[in-house]
Amino acid sequence: MRLIERQMNDAITREVDWHKDNTSVVNIGGVSEVRLHGNLIARVGDTFLELFDGGWQTNTTKSRLNAILRVHGNGERISQKNWNWFLSTSDGNVDFVSGMILA
């Protein structure tokens, strides 16, 4: 995991605002909103994760989301095949849909 992703996850865990380079975390009432280049890519609460592609299914977006899933998820991972994103879970793969909620 990249240093910026470790710092991002630390800010999410501590529920504090943080910004570095192209990535930011803003805590609003206990929910951390993660943005990449100003685009919302995740909302992390105590009981849920909401994942977005921010309109750009890039390697950087996927890397940030996978870093969030590694620390705050339950073993899920985003993968890509033939330019299509999938969410891999213990139950198998499902198509990634921007705005999907994991509880």
Side-chain angles (χ1 to χ4, degrees):
M1 186 181 319
R2 297 176 172 148
L3 174 61
I4 193 169
E5 293 170 345
R6 285 194 302 269
Q7 293 170 337
M8 171 192 71
N9 274 321
D10 182 55
I12 294 168
T13 299
R14 294 185 306 116
E15 296 182 349
V16 297
D17 294 350
W18 170 87
H19 180 271
K20 183 174 183 180
D21 299 333
N22 58 14
T23 306
S24 64
V25 176
V26 175
N27 188 273
I28 302 169
V31 175
S32 294
E33 291 190 350
V34 182
R35 295 182 182 273
L36 179 62
H37 294 291
N39 298 305
L40 180 66
I41 63 166
R43 294 179 69 239
V44 182
D46 289 337
T47 60
F48 72 94
L49 288 173
E50 189 172 9
L51 307 175
F52 304 89
D53 61 17
W56 303 93
Q57 290 192 351
T58 66
N59 287 334
T60 303
T61 304
K62 185 171 53 174
S63 180
R64 297 292 189 274
L65 291 175
N66 278 326
I68 291 167
L69 287 167
R70 205 170 300 125
V71 173
H72 303 283
N74 291 312
E76 302 91 353
R77 179 160 178 78
I78 296 172
S79 57
Q80 181 176 345
K81 184 176 181 183
N82 296 328
W83 297 279
N84 295 313
W85 278 17
F86 300 92
L87 181 72
S88 300
T89 69
S90 58
D91 296 329
N93 293 339
V94 296
D95 290 337
F96 178 90
V97 178
S98 190
M100 65 191 325
I101 298 172
L102 308 176

